[in-house]
Amino acid sequence: SAKHGGRNRYCFFTEPMNRRVQQRLEMESGLRDAERRGELELGYQPQVDIASGAVVGVEALVRWRHPRHGLISPANFIPVAEESGQIARIGDWVLAEACRQCAAWRETALAGLPVAVNLSAAQLGRSDLAEGILRHLEAYGLPSSALQLEMTEGLFFHETEPVRSTLQSLQRSGLQLVVDDFGTGYSNLGYLKRFPVAKLKIDESFVRGLPEDTEDVVISSTLIRMAHGLRLRVIAEGVETAEQLAFLREHGCDEAQGFYFSRPLAGADLARWAQRR
Ligand code: C2E
Ligand code: MG
Ligand code: MG
Ligand code: MG
């Protein structure tokens, strides 16, 4: 009967789906007070100049320390924050916290280093983004060079007029734009002419197989040459081994970031790490 079929569907399909929907709603509502409860935190991962070995920057990566589920990766909750209209608020917290930490590093081995913050498309669509960023910098007495903004290619590719003017005003204010996960976006590279971005970040998926994997060798060395041809700096992410680093050095890559140097650490721990180096 229809009733019976309905119940079967309920058992085999609807119930697990309900559970997913339930978990999703729980995550959405948990995120609504995550900052207020102090559950969000930033991990910082160093960026190293390959030629000199000096630390030249730091990437801020957000985490959610959930009271019951433990540490949740941004890969899991950022999409939920984006789809539930919360990314602008959370992103603003990230920007403020990165500025606070950058100012707190003034008396440490990390003094003066720029902090790279990841931006989502929804943040760039807001007309108050540039103003908000400048306000945070000012509140902590930081120059605009204290922040770099990482964004994926898709963000430039699907650029709309508000995004274009936001990016331009950020640039004019002196913030450096970095193209994150470079090479994964299948995009038309024309945006590199319209937006003088400062740096390209080669995605870890092209670093993983170095130096053996032929495709990774071709792709990463081509991306390095292209960046330099356009007079941009280039950084490789996800560097885990000395062999990967040696390949990148040989091919003239400027900077590297990854577990080979350090995992993302709390602000005070990263300052101690830099001090020991
Ligand atoms: P991403 O910007 O590409 O960040 C790099 C990710 O690679 C980080 O993961 C980092 O921990 C990880 N990673 C770094 N070195 C290595 C390595 O040597 N090996 C491996 N296997 N992985 C490495 P995480 O922290 O889980 O971040 C994931 C993504 O979440 C980030 O990717 C970024 O796109 C996004 N994200 C993080 N923080 C924010 C934020 O504040 N706002 C927004 N919108 N997105 C964020
Ligand atoms: Mg990033
Ligand atoms: Mg990246
Ligand atoms: Mg990546």
Side-chain angles (χ1 to χ4, degrees), residues 105-159:
W105 278 329
R106 269 189 192 116
E107 309 300 325
T108 74
L110 298 170
L113 296 186
V115 180
V117 171
N118 296 282
L119 291 186
S120 287
Q123 284 174 275
L124 277 165
R126 293 178 61 108
S127 56
D128 58 357
L129 178 72
E131 192 190 305
I133 291 176
L134 296 176
R135 197 158 14 84
H136 294 314
L137 287 166
E138 200 183 324
Y140 290 100
L142 296 168
S144 55
S145 57
L147 284 183
Q148 293 182 353
L149 304 173
E150 294 196 4
M151 47 206 108
T152 56
E153 282 172 281
L155 239 149
F156 293 93
F157 190 52
H158 301 290
E159 72 187 64

Side-chain angles (χ1 to χ4, degrees), residues 24 28 78-86:
R24 172 74 177 221
E28 270 185 41
I78 290 289
V80 177
E82 285 171 341
E83 288 158 27
S84 59
Q86 303 190 63

Side-chain angles (χ1 to χ4, degrees), residues 32-48:
R32 295 205 190 274
D33 355 84
E35 306 133 67
R36 195 175 46 72
R37 297 180 202 237
E39 293 170 4
L40 293 184
E41 53 191 56
L42 294 184
Y44 299 90
Q45 192 173 39
Q47 303 177 327
V48 174

Side-chain angles (χ1 to χ4, degrees), residues 59 61 118 150 180 201 237:
E59 181 177 10
L61 297 153
N118 296 282
E150 294 196 4
D180 203 353
K201 190 177 232 191
E237 70 176 6

